[in-house]
Amino acid sequence: QVQLQESGPGLVKASETLSLTCTVSGGSVSSGSYYWSWIRQPPGKGLEWIGYFYYSATTHYNPSLKSRATISVDTSKNHFSLRLTSLSAADTAVYYCARDGDMDTAMAPGTFEVWGRGTMVAVSS
Amino acid sequence: QSVLSQPPSVSGTPGQRVTISCSGSTSNIGGNGVNWYQRLPGTAPRLLINRDNERPSGVPDRFSASKSGTSASLAISGLQSEDEADYYCATWDDGLNDPVVLFGGGTKLTV
């Protein structure tokens, strides 16, 4: 059974860069069957999709974050990462990683079937 | 204000049937499959419904969903106390050159 676990700093300063990692167990980030996504939820607000990575090195981002977000994969460590630059208080949120889509069952990307527990990131001024 | 509009809250008593609506447009709900997620307090979201009305393995058949035009709805029958959670609809929006996954604002279900 695939499990995902986010890790990273709980507190970062405004204008700096956030780096988060999602470690995958019970499955492989190299699998061509899935996409790997990041999603966040600011306190008291709804969910926001950040973007995904596909094993062929394809990435796709939410236009609202496109200029600041980068998602990459490290197959040797079986994890994928999110890098978010130029942080502001508006980036304070719980950040989730998720396994996205399923090519074997024609489940389209944007369908998040497995989620990590989430990690809270606060941006201080 | 989310592009996908959900009621902020709904409530029901045990055993009742409740529905949660999700309203969008032709560029999102009207042209793409809708997924529904349940987020129990203190936990990560869980996929409840995908491709408009399909239940993943393990999701009770008390949960059902439908779509008509640019609106979708989630129905929960035989309401149970453990159904108390936040519910989100989600779909792709490809109205602009850069498609994006959108979530509704979420609906808090009180049992």
Side-chain angles (χ1 to χ4, degrees):
Chain A
Q1 185 176 348
V2 173
Q3 292 185 319
L4 308 180
Q5 177 66 60
E6 304 89 349
S7 58
L11 182 65
V12 288
K13 293 183 179 178
S15 79
E16 294 189 342
T17 296
L18 171 67
S19 292
L20 295 174
T21 295
C22 180
T23 300
V24 179
S25 57
S28 172
V29 293
S30 303
S31 169
S33 296
Y34 306 106
Y35 295 70
W36 304 96
S37 273
W38 287 95
I39 299 140
R40 69 181 184 178
Q41 184 166 29
K45 296 187 178 181
L47 296 162
E48 180 181 36
W49 174 71
I50 298 171
Y52 68 59
F53 181 100
Y54 187 54
Y55 89 110
S56 62
T58 299
T59 53
H60 187 71
Y61 300 101
N62 187 322
S64 68
L65 295 166
K66 193 173 187 177
S67 62
R68 299 194 295 125
T70 303
I71 299 174
S72 59
V73 166
D74 186 332
T75 56
S76 67
K77 296 180 180 178
N78 207 34
H79 72 210
F80 62 106
S81 301
L82 169 68
R83 186 171 177 268
L84 190 63
T85 62
S86 303
L87 294 174
S88 71
D91 295 308
T92 293
V94 176
Y95 285 76
Y96 296 98
C97 59
R99 193 184 75 181
D100 186 358
D102 186 342
M103 302 303 105
D104 295 337
T105 61
M107 186 182 294
T111 305
F112 312 110
E113 194 168 21
V114 182
W115 295 67
R117 292 184 175 184
T119 186
M120 179 66 200
V121 175
V123 180
S124 64
S125 56
Chain B
Q1 186 96 10
S2 300
V3 172
L4 302 181
S5 181
Q6 297 182 235
S9 63
V10 297
S11 63
T13 56
Q16 270 191 331
R17 180 179 186 270
V18 297
T19 61
I20 297 171
S21 62
C22 177
S23 177
S25 67
T26 54
S27 65
N28 42 67
I29 292 176
N32 296 288
V34 177
N35 300 324
W36 289 89
Y37 298 88
Q38 175 195 57
R39 194 171 69 84
L40 297 168
T43 69
R46 166 198 182 193
L47 180 64
L48 210 57
I49 298 285
N50 66 278
R51 288 189 279 220
D52 296 339
N53 54 22
E54 297 181 9
R55 279 188 310 276
S57 174
V59 175
D61 59 8
R62 301 187 297 105
F63 295 90
S64 62
S66 62
K67 187 176 83 174
S68 178
T70 59
S71 292
S73 65
L74 173 72
I76 309 171
S77 59
L79 206 58
Q80 300 179 3
S81 58
E82 54 261 41
D83 297 331
E84 190 162 287
D86 296 323
Y87 292 85
Y88 298 88
C89 60
T91 186
W92 281 95
D93 188 303
D94 45 25
L96 301 176
N97 291 332
D98 221 345
V100 61
V101 176
L102 294 177
F103 288 92
T107 298
K108 181 175 180 58
L109 169 63
T110 301
V111 180

Short mmCIF file of all heavy atoms in Angstrom, two decimals, chain B residues 3-7 20-36 52-53 65-74 89-91:
data_model
loop_
_atom_site.label_atom_id
_atom_site.label_comp_id
_atom_site.label_asym_id
_atom_site.label_seq_id
_atom_site.Cartn_x
_atom_site.Cartn_y
_atom_site.Cartn_z
N VAL B 3 -14.15 29.54 -7.92
CA VAL B 3 -14.83 29.44 -9.21
C VAL B 3 -15.92 28.37 -9.13
O VAL B 3 -16.99 28.49 -9.73
CB VAL B 3 -13.82 29.10 -10.32
CG1 VAL B 3 -14.53 28.81 -11.62
CG2 VAL B 3 -12.82 30.24 -10.48
N LEU B 4 -15.64 27.29 -8.35
CA LEU B 4 -16.63 26.25 -8.10
C LEU B 4 -17.35 26.62 -6.80
O LEU B 4 -16.74 26.70 -5.75
CB LEU B 4 -15.95 24.89 -7.98
CG LEU B 4 -15.12 24.43 -9.17
CD1 LEU B 4 -14.53 23.05 -8.90
CD2 LEU B 4 -15.95 24.42 -10.45
N SER B 5 -18.65 26.81 -6.90
CA SER B 5 -19.41 27.32 -5.77
C SER B 5 -20.11 26.22 -5.01
O SER B 5 -20.91 25.47 -5.58
CB SER B 5 -20.43 28.34 -6.28
OG SER B 5 -21.17 28.88 -5.22
N GLN B 6 -19.80 26.11 -3.72
CA GLN B 6 -20.46 25.16 -2.83
C GLN B 6 -21.10 25.92 -1.68
O GLN B 6 -20.61 26.97 -1.27
CB GLN B 6 -19.43 24.18 -2.23
CG GLN B 6 -18.72 23.29 -3.20
CD GLN B 6 -17.79 22.34 -2.47
OE1 GLN B 6 -16.60 22.28 -2.75
NE2 GLN B 6 -18.34 21.58 -1.52
N PRO B 7 -22.19 25.37 -1.11
CA PRO B 7 -22.74 26.00 0.10
C PRO B 7 -21.74 25.86 1.23
O PRO B 7 -21.09 24.82 1.35
CB PRO B 7 -24.01 25.21 0.36
CG PRO B 7 -23.78 23.89 -0.30
CD PRO B 7 -22.93 24.17 -1.49
N ILE B 20 -25.06 17.96 -1.36
CA ILE B 20 -24.16 19.10 -1.43
C ILE B 20 -23.97 19.45 -2.89
O ILE B 20 -23.61 18.58 -3.70
CB ILE B 20 -22.79 18.77 -0.78
CG1 ILE B 20 -22.98 18.47 0.72
CG2 ILE B 20 -21.81 19.92 -0.97
CD1 ILE B 20 -21.74 17.92 1.39
N SER B 21 -24.21 20.68 -3.23
CA SER B 21 -24.12 21.10 -4.62
C SER B 21 -22.77 21.73 -4.93
O SER B 21 -22.06 22.23 -4.04
CB SER B 21 -25.23 22.10 -4.94
OG SER B 21 -25.08 23.26 -4.12
N CYS B 22 -22.43 21.72 -6.21
CA CYS B 22 -21.18 22.32 -6.69
C CYS B 22 -21.50 22.92 -8.06
O CYS B 22 -21.82 22.19 -9.00
CB CYS B 22 -20.10 21.26 -6.80
SG CYS B 22 -18.51 21.84 -7.46
N SER B 23 -21.45 24.22 -8.15
CA SER B 23 -21.84 24.91 -9.37
C SER B 23 -20.63 25.52 -10.06
O SER B 23 -19.80 26.17 -9.42
CB SER B 23 -22.86 26.00 -9.03
OG SER B 23 -23.22 26.72 -10.18
N GLY B 24 -20.54 25.32 -11.37
CA GLY B 24 -19.41 25.84 -12.11
C GLY B 24 -19.82 26.41 -13.45
O GLY B 24 -20.84 27.10 -13.55
N SER B 25 -19.03 26.08 -14.48
CA SER B 25 -19.30 26.62 -15.82
C SER B 25 -18.91 25.59 -16.87
O SER B 25 -18.45 24.49 -16.55
CB SER B 25 -18.51 27.91 -16.02
OG SER B 25 -17.13 27.64 -16.05
N THR B 26 -19.07 25.98 -18.13
CA THR B 26 -18.78 25.05 -19.23
C THR B 26 -17.30 24.74 -19.32
O THR B 26 -16.92 23.68 -19.85
CB THR B 26 -19.25 25.64 -20.56
OG1 THR B 26 -18.67 26.94 -20.73
CG2 THR B 26 -20.77 25.74 -20.61
N SER B 27 -16.44 25.62 -18.81
CA SER B 27 -15.01 25.38 -18.91
C SER B 27 -14.50 24.44 -17.83
O SER B 27 -13.35 23.99 -17.89
CB SER B 27 -14.24 26.71 -18.84
OG SER B 27 -14.40 27.31 -17.58
N ASN B 28 -15.31 24.17 -16.85
CA ASN B 28 -14.87 23.24 -15.79
C ASN B 28 -15.85 22.07 -15.67
O ASN B 28 -15.70 21.07 -16.37
CB ASN B 28 -14.62 23.96 -14.47
CG ASN B 28 -15.66 25.01 -14.11
OD1 ASN B 28 -16.81 24.66 -13.84
ND2 ASN B 28 -15.28 26.27 -14.11
N ILE B 29 -16.85 22.19 -14.83
CA ILE B 29 -17.78 21.07 -14.63
C ILE B 29 -18.43 20.63 -15.94
O ILE B 29 -18.59 19.43 -16.19
CB ILE B 29 -18.84 21.43 -13.57
CG1 ILE B 29 -18.19 21.58 -12.19
CG2 ILE B 29 -19.95 20.38 -13.54
CD1 ILE B 29 -19.15 22.03 -11.10
N GLY B 30 -18.78 21.59 -16.76
CA GLY B 30 -19.50 21.28 -18.00
C GLY B 30 -18.70 20.46 -18.99
O GLY B 30 -19.28 19.84 -19.89
N GLY B 31 -17.38 20.44 -18.85
CA GLY B 31 -16.57 19.73 -19.82
C GLY B 31 -15.58 18.74 -19.25
O GLY B 31 -14.80 18.13 -19.99
N ASN B 32 -15.59 18.58 -17.94
CA ASN B 32 -14.60 17.70 -17.31
C ASN B 32 -15.23 16.88 -16.17
O ASN B 32 -16.25 17.28 -15.61
CB ASN B 32 -13.45 18.54 -16.74
CG ASN B 32 -12.68 19.26 -17.82
OD1 ASN B 32 -11.93 18.67 -18.59
ND2 ASN B 32 -12.87 20.58 -17.90
N GLY B 33 -14.60 15.77 -15.85
CA GLY B 33 -15.10 14.93 -14.77
C GLY B 33 -14.94 15.61 -13.42
O GLY B 33 -13.99 16.37 -13.20
N VAL B 34 -15.87 15.34 -12.53
CA VAL B 34 -15.87 15.95 -11.20
C VAL B 34 -15.49 14.91 -10.15
O VAL B 34 -15.96 13.77 -10.18
CB VAL B 34 -17.25 16.55 -10.86
CG1 VAL B 34 -17.25 17.12 -9.44
CG2 VAL B 34 -17.62 17.64 -11.87
N ASN B 35 -14.63 15.31 -9.26
CA ASN B 35 -14.25 14.47 -8.13
C ASN B 35 -14.76 15.10 -6.84
O ASN B 35 -14.91 16.33 -6.75
CB ASN B 35 -12.73 14.33 -8.04
CG ASN B 35 -12.13 13.72 -9.29
OD1 ASN B 35 -12.71 12.84 -9.91
ND2 ASN B 35 -10.95 14.19 -9.67
N TRP B 36 -15.01 14.28 -5.86
CA TRP B 36 -15.43 14.75 -4.54
C TRP B 36 -14.47 14.18 -3.49
O TRP B 36 -14.07 13.02 -3.56
CB TRP B 36 -16.85 14.30 -4.23
CG TRP B 36 -17.90 14.99 -5.03
CD1 TRP B 36 -18.39 14.62 -6.24
CD2 TRP B 36 -18.60 16.20 -4.67
NE1 TRP B 36 -19.36 15.51 -6.66
CE2 TRP B 36 -19.50 16.49 -5.71
CE3 TRP B 36 -18.55 17.06 -3.58
CZ2 TRP B 36 -20.34 17.60 -5.69
CZ3 TRP B 36 -19.38 18.16 -3.55
CH2 TRP B 36 -20.27 18.43 -4.60
N ASP B 52 -17.18 11.90 -11.93
CA ASP B 52 -18.58 12.32 -11.76
C ASP B 52 -19.36 11.46 -10.77
O ASP B 52 -20.13 12.01 -9.97
CB ASP B 52 -19.35 12.30 -13.09
CG ASP B 52 -18.83 13.29 -14.09
OD1 ASP B 52 -18.15 14.26 -13.67
OD2 ASP B 52 -19.10 13.13 -15.29
N ASN B 53 -19.24 10.13 -10.87
CA ASN B 53 -20.12 9.30 -10.05
C ASN B 53 -19.55 7.93 -9.69
O ASN B 53 -20.31 7.03 -9.31
CB ASN B 53 -21.45 9.10 -10.79
CG ASN B 53 -21.25 8.53 -12.18
OD1 ASN B 53 -20.22 7.91 -12.47
ND2 ASN B 53 -22.22 8.75 -13.06
N ALA B 65 -23.05 10.43 -6.37
CA ALA B 65 -22.90 11.76 -6.97
C ALA B 65 -23.47 11.76 -8.37
O ALA B 65 -23.60 10.71 -9.01
CB ALA B 65 -21.43 12.19 -6.97
N SER B 66 -23.78 12.94 -8.83
CA SER B 66 -24.31 13.09 -10.18
C SER B 66 -23.86 14.44 -10.74
O SER B 66 -23.33 15.29 -10.02
CB SER B 66 -25.83 13.00 -10.17
OG SER B 66 -26.37 14.06 -9.39
N LYS B 67 -24.07 14.59 -12.03
CA LYS B 67 -23.71 15.84 -12.69
C LYS B 67 -24.73 16.13 -13.80
O LYS B 67 -25.18 15.22 -14.50
CB LYS B 67 -22.31 15.75 -13.29
CG LYS B 67 -21.80 17.07 -13.86
CD LYS B 67 -20.37 16.93 -14.35
CE LYS B 67 -20.28 16.34 -15.74
NZ LYS B 67 -18.89 16.35 -16.26
N SER B 68 -25.07 17.39 -13.92
CA SER B 68 -25.95 17.82 -14.99
C SER B 68 -25.51 19.19 -15.46
O SER B 68 -25.52 20.15 -14.69
CB SER B 68 -27.41 17.87 -14.50
OG SER B 68 -28.26 18.33 -15.53
N GLY B 69 -25.11 19.25 -16.70
CA GLY B 69 -24.65 20.53 -17.25
C GLY B 69 -23.44 21.06 -16.51
O GLY B 69 -22.40 20.42 -16.47
N THR B 70 -23.59 22.22 -15.91
CA THR B 70 -22.47 22.86 -15.22
C THR B 70 -22.59 22.74 -13.70
O THR B 70 -21.94 23.50 -12.97
CB THR B 70 -22.36 24.34 -15.63
OG1 THR B 70 -23.59 25.00 -15.30
CG2 THR B 70 -22.09 24.48 -17.13
N SER B 71 -23.40 21.80 -13.24
CA SER B 71 -23.54 21.59 -11.79
C SER B 71 -23.38 20.12 -11.45
O SER B 71 -23.72 19.24 -12.23
CB SER B 71 -24.92 22.07 -11.32
OG SER B 71 -25.04 23.46 -11.43
N ALA B 72 -22.85 19.90 -10.28
CA ALA B 72 -22.68 18.54 -9.77
C ALA B 72 -23.21 18.50 -8.34
O ALA B 72 -23.36 19.54 -7.69
CB ALA B 72 -21.20 18.14 -9.78
N SER B 73 -23.50 17.30 -7.88
CA SER B 73 -23.98 17.18 -6.51
C SER B 73 -23.53 15.87 -5.90
O SER B 73 -23.39 14.86 -6.60
CB SER B 73 -25.49 17.33 -6.43
OG SER B 73 -26.13 16.27 -7.10
N LEU B 74 -23.31 15.92 -4.62
CA LEU B 74 -22.95 14.76 -3.82
C LEU B 74 -24.11 14.47 -2.88
O LEU B 74 -24.63 15.39 -2.24
CB LEU B 74 -21.69 15.05 -3.01
CG LEU B 74 -21.26 14.00 -1.99
CD1 LEU B 74 -20.70 12.76 -2.71
CD2 LEU B 74 -20.20 14.58 -1.03
N CYS B 89 -15.67 19.61 -3.88
CA CYS B 89 -15.71 19.16 -5.27
C CYS B 89 -14.45 19.67 -5.97
O CYS B 89 -13.81 20.62 -5.50
CB CYS B 89 -16.96 19.67 -5.99
SG CYS B 89 -17.12 21.47 -6.06
N ALA B 90 -14.07 19.02 -7.05
CA ALA B 90 -12.87 19.43 -7.78
C ALA B 90 -12.96 18.97 -9.22
O ALA B 90 -13.56 17.93 -9.53
CB ALA B 90 -11.61 18.83 -7.13
N THR B 91 -12.38 19.74 -10.11
CA THR B 91 -12.35 19.39 -11.51
C THR B 91 -11.31 20.25 -12.22
O THR B 91 -10.80 21.20 -11.65
CB THR B 91 -13.73 19.58 -12.17
OG1 THR B 91 -13.69 19.09 -13.51
CG2 THR B 91 -14.12 21.06 -12.20
#
